[in-house]
Amino acid sequence: MDTKELLKKVRKIEIKTKRLSDHIFSGEYHTSFKGRGMTFSEVRQYNFGDDIRNIDWNVTARYNEPFVKVFEEERELTMMLLVDISASSNFGSTAQFKNEIITEIAATLAFAATNNNDKIGLILFTSQVELYIPPKKGKSHVLRIIRELIEFQPKQTATNLAEALRFLSATQKKRAIVFVISDFMSDPYDSTLKIAARKHDITGIRVYDEREQTLPAVGLIPVFDAEAQQYVYVDSNRKSVRDAYKQTFVQQANFFKETFSKCGAGVVNTRVDESYVTKLLAFFKSKN
């Protein structure tokens, strides 16, 4: 992709997703996630019912009457985007591919964080961590993230979410708001998710295509396994084949939902032909 075409694509995504962030998500995002802790604001005279543990003994001794420390929530947060760029994301049976929706969701969340003056970091992963951009503030930083989401060419094709979560735990020592955006067609990741979720506020956003859910009965068809990089021929007229295809989809979807829920992590499911705006808004409102 040449520079002119890349900039055109970046600008198109910026216009669409920034509008969503400015007018829809910013307020919901701002109230959905609590700060990392409490910071000192001021001291004031003690009132009945105040926590005696907050008494400032130095000021109390100076004025010979009780004063307490007042704290306020620390609002600046760090958002980490863990984005699946494996070969299975390059699939779509409708107007858009999964990776296009994934890019839009990531950009929308990044602009929402920027509007809240938060830092945003990016981890692109396949079966390995392909790219890491440390958290930073600012619009230019978000535009760099969007450029990488559009243009980056991965070295691997398979998916290993556990590896990405291990990398997250190793690099992010402070609590972060983490969005994992993937189709979650991965080897088991429950143990690593459990460890990461102890420290971070994690939400999984699962993007899938309707054709991954059901296989039509159209005879013998070549099916390309993007992650294995090979074609296999499937007799779609056989009910057992269609049932096995659907069962695999259901198992992956259930594993995603159950694993994230057990770890106290958020769960969002969105199909490529559905409105991810509606799904994200409902999720943010449920956290308030």
Side-chain angles (χ1 to χ4, degrees):
M1 187 185 301
D2 60 35
T3 303
K4 186 177 180 180
E5 185 182 354
L6 173 61
L7 291 175
K8 186 178 178 180
K9 281 195 171 186
V10 171
R11 181 60 178 161
K12 183 178 179 181
I13 291 177
E14 179 193 1
I15 291 171
K16 179 177 181 178
T17 59
K18 193 173 188 304
R19 184 171 63 248
L20 291 172
S21 294
D22 289 345
H23 300 295
I24 301 175
F25 289 111
S26 291
E28 298 296 339
Y29 168 85
H30 183 85
T31 56
S32 294
F33 299 102
K34 294 181 179 179
R36 293 190 297 269
M38 307 298 288
T39 55
F40 173 74
S41 176
E42 60 181 350
V43 294
R44 62 165 171 77
Q45 287 182 307
Y46 176 87
N47 293 323
F48 179 76
D50 286 339
D51 191 336
I52 61 172
R53 291 174 296 183
N54 291 334
I55 291 178
D56 188 320
W57 295 106
N58 290 329
V59 178
T60 296
R62 188 181 307 136
Y63 291 97
N64 203 28
E65 60 178 308
F67 278 77
V68 293
K69 296 176 182 178
V70 178
F71 296 87
E72 60 183 19
E73 186 180 38
E74 186 179 0
R75 282 306 317 174
E76 181 183 298
L77 305 171
T78 295
M79 176 192 286
M80 287 301 303
L81 298 170
L82 272 64
V83 179
D84 179 0
I85 56 170
S86 64
S88 63
S89 66
N90 299 321
F91 178 82
S93 62
T94 59
Q96 285 187 292
F97 289 95
K98 286 190 291 184
N99 59 359
E100 293 175 310
I101 299 297
I102 287 172
T103 295
E104 285 189 17
I105 292 172
T108 301
L109 293 169
F111 277 120
T114 294
N115 290 343
N116 201 45
N117 199 35
D118 296 336
K119 296 178 181 178
I120 306 102
L122 177 68
I123 296 173
L124 298 181
F125 69 93
T126 53
S127 58
Q128 65 184 30
V129 172
E130 299 270 357
L131 177 70
Y132 170 56
I133 299 179
K136 190 177 176 182
K137 295 181 182 181
K139 178 183 173 182
S140 61
H141 181 67
V142 173
L143 292 178
R144 181 198 170 188
I145 286 175
I146 295 174
R147 285 197 300 272
E148 295 293 357
L149 287 166
I150 295 172
E151 191 180 40
F152 189 86
Q153 296 298 315
K155 297 180 179 65
Q156 304 297 324
T157 57
T159 311
N160 189 338
L161 176 54
E163 186 63 31
L165 291 168
R166 276 192 287 269
F167 185 86
L168 171 74
S169 296
T171 54
Q172 302 304 312
K173 300 304 180 183
K174 293 183 178 180
R175 181 176 176 82
I177 305 301
V178 180
F179 289 97
V180 185
I181 315 173
S182 171
D183 56 17
F184 292 91
M185 295 180 180
S186 173
D187 291 336
Y189 46 82
D190 45 334
S191 58
T192 46
L193 177 62
K194 186 176 181 180
I195 293 170
R198 289 173 185 162
K199 181 191 296 183
H200 304 295
D201 188 332
I202 300 180
T203 298
I205 302 177
R206 178 172 165 268
V207 179
Y208 67 98
D209 189 282
E210 182 182 17
R211 191 53 64 205
E212 294 168 325
Q213 188 170 1
T214 56
L215 186 67
V218 290
L220 193 66
I221 56 173
V223 177
F224 184 66
D225 185 334
E227 299 204 349
Q229 291 291 292
Q230 65 182 16
Y231 278 98
V232 293
Y233 280 87
V234 175
D235 185 359
S236 62
N237 283 336
R238 294 175 58 187
K239 186 176 183 299
S240 60
V241 170
R242 296 197 304 275
D243 288 346
Y245 185 90
K246 186 172 183 178
Q247 185 179 12
T248 299
F249 175 88
V250 171
Q251 287 174 342
Q252 290 172 335
N254 288 343
F255 183 79
F256 161 69
K257 182 178 179 180
E258 291 169 6
T259 302
F260 270 72
S261 297
K262 284 180 181 177
C263 294
V267 173
V268 178
N269 283 286
T270 184
R271 208 170 59 202
V272 292
D273 58 334
E274 294 178 324
S275 169
Y276 65 82
V277 174
T278 302
K279 297 294 183 74
L280 289 177
L281 268 177
F283 170 73
F284 285 146
K285 288 180 182 298
S286 72
K287 289 181 69 71
N288 294 340

